[in-house]
Amino acid sequence: MFTSSLNHSACGLIVILTLGLAVSIPNANAVNAEENQQINGLVREPLMLPVTLPEGKPALLEAFVTRPAGDKRWPVALITQGTAETAEFDRLEMNPNWMSGMALAFARHGYAAVVVMREGYGYSSGGAEYTGSTCVEPRHDLAGKRDAEDLLGALNAIRHEPWASHHSAILAGMSAGGFGVLATGARQPKGVQAIINFDGGRGAGKGGSLCDRAGLLKSFASMGATSRIPSLWLYSQNDTLFPPFTGISFFHSYTSAGGLASFIVMPPYDTNGHTFIESAPEDFWWHPVAEFLQKQRLAYKAIVATRIERLPLPQTLNSASGTLAFRKYESAQLYEKAFATDVRGDWGVSYRARTTEDAAARALSNCQMHEHTANVKCRIYAVNNTLMP
């Protein structure tokens, strides 16, 4: 079982103790937004959302907003992540930057895009929705209930921000987060006008199996029976966890019970399309999303231009794989990223780290795995879109 406690210190830190993991995190008022990568026309700020759950239970949810610049209340795009279902990874590795590509896309198109880490993930308090569950007893309905409580609490807190609309919002989630936003929509939250489910589901077992398949389909039907919010479902052809035929079974359970949804099979992406929304470029997935938003009479046109920073290729790269990796790095619209190389042409890359410092350290470590002699050292070549001296 997860246990957690929040301790406030004079230096503006909060300590989360979970499964023996101690994580020191910055208080919302102690975080400096200027330390984070910024893109012209957009504002990016870290948040710690104080949330009140049912029965008055307090929680603190880590989040990041990316929004258009300017003094205006923007429609909210509340985004939430998937899960690894291991406490160490979900707590120590997961952070809002895993969904930064999606956040950037929605912000460019006129939304205050807020990536919210549910309880038990990143610096958020509490335990994850899978706490106490097993594949034999996955407790899908309870997981949906926990997710909905987190996301509804987060949405209420976000609406108190000066840049957030009080009455216009959409929900978007990936994998377990897709299941979570559908569960949230089943509560008929006020002002939520659309839901987008990227490869949503939970309880993926080995070899494409599902933990309590019948119970999971029943959960989707239960959601569809009470939700009347239009939803878009996108599943990649080469999703190894929830391939399209699995997603279609979820979809049929949901819509047969009365849920409003459209289903799209996305092209294959990389070696596992399940994670396409984490790393695929915007032009891979935005078009069907834009068509859906337009039909709902929601914002869908770009108001901030995409700008790819062209960086010179490292002169030391001498392989096709290294060149391809750097060109992919150059065009990736993701926070936070870094690229390292050495004089022999070895290289290492890092995406979606929590900070630029973390990104640099991970890229360096990945590069150093290929070092052949002690005399050849990797160095950081670029962090985000800036070359290092």
Side-chain angles (χ1 to χ4, degrees), residues 32-102:
N32 181 3
E34 296 303 319
E35 296 175 357
N36 307 113
Q37 180 189 6
Q38 304 290 336
I39 292 178
N40 289 339
L42 300 177
V43 176
R44 180 167 176 255
E45 299 173 322
L47 303 170
M48 292 300 292
L49 299 173
V51 170
T52 301
L53 301 176
E55 299 180 0
K57 176 187 173 185
L60 196 63
L61 302 182
E62 182 185 13
F64 233 117
V65 60
T66 306
R67 57 182 173 83
D71 296 329
K72 179 180 176 180
R73 287 189 176 273
W74 304 96
V76 174
L78 193 160
I79 298 166
T80 195
Q81 84 293 338
T83 180
E85 293 197 2
T86 63
E88 290 78 9
F89 186 93
D90 289 335
R91 178 61 79 187
L92 301 178
E93 299 292 329
M94 200 75 79
N95 70 77
N97 290 331
W98 282 76
M99 297 286 102
S100 60
M102 197 199 308

Side-chain angles (χ1 to χ4, degrees), residues 107-339:
R108 283 202 329 105
H109 291 85
Y111 292 85
V114 187
V115 179
V116 175
M117 309 297 289
R118 305 184 304 281
E119 286 186 284
Y121 297 88
Y123 289 163
S124 295
S125 61
E129 73 278 354
Y130 56 78
T131 303
S133 299
T134 65
C135 193
V136 175
E137 190 179 0
R139 303 195 293 183
H140 300 303
D141 286 342
L142 179 59
K145 177 177 180 291
R146 289 175 174 173
D147 287 344
E149 290 172 352
D150 282 355
L151 298 179
L152 289 173
L155 183 58
N156 182 61
I158 290 165
R159 284 172 169 162
H160 286 85
E161 298 290 340
W163 38 258
S165 169
H166 291 146
H167 53 77
S168 180
I170 65 173
L171 308 177
M174 172 220 167
S175 191
F179 182 89
V181 295
L182 291 169
T184 307
R187 303 285 189 95
Q188 288 292 96
K190 291 183 179 180
V192 174
Q193 298 163 288
I195 299 170
I196 306 175
N197 162 29
F198 294 95
D199 294 290
R202 69 182 311 272
K206 296 180 179 179
S209 63
L210 294 173
C211 300
D212 186 14
R213 179 185 180 88
L216 184 57
L217 294 176
K218 185 177 178 182
S219 291
F220 276 106
S222 178
M223 296 175 193
T226 58
S227 178
R228 291 299 175 266
I229 301 172
S231 61
L232 176 67
W233 301 36
L234 303 98
Y235 289 72
S236 174
Q237 287 181 15
N238 67 331
D239 186 324
T240 60
L241 297 184
F242 306 121
F245 67 85
T246 299
I248 282 286
S249 67
F250 300 159
F251 173 81
H252 284 324
S253 292
Y254 184 85
T255 55
S256 295
L260 305 177
S262 301
F263 191 97
I264 293 179
V265 177
M266 296 294 290
Y269 181 77
D270 204 9
T271 58
N272 179 10
H274 185 70
T275 59
F276 80 82
I277 198 58
E278 290 181 350
S279 53
E282 181 184 307
D283 60 11
F284 179 85
W285 59 270
W286 180 257
H287 181 69
V289 170
E291 286 189 337
F292 169 72
L293 294 173
Q294 184 180 13
K295 289 178 181 178
Q296 312 311 319
R297 299 183 179 181
L298 299 171
Y300 70 97
K301 293 183 179 180
I303 63 172
V304 177
T306 299
R307 182 181 176 185
I308 303 297
E309 299 288 345
R310 295 300 175 189
L311 303 174
L313 189 72
Q315 294 182 358
T316 56
L317 284 184
N318 52 23
S319 66
S321 62
T323 299
L324 181 64
F326 185 76
R327 290 309 179 201
K328 179 180 178 181
Y329 171 88
E330 179 185 53
S331 62
Q333 293 295 298
L334 298 169
Y335 300 125
E336 304 280 348
K337 62 180 183 177
F339 195 94

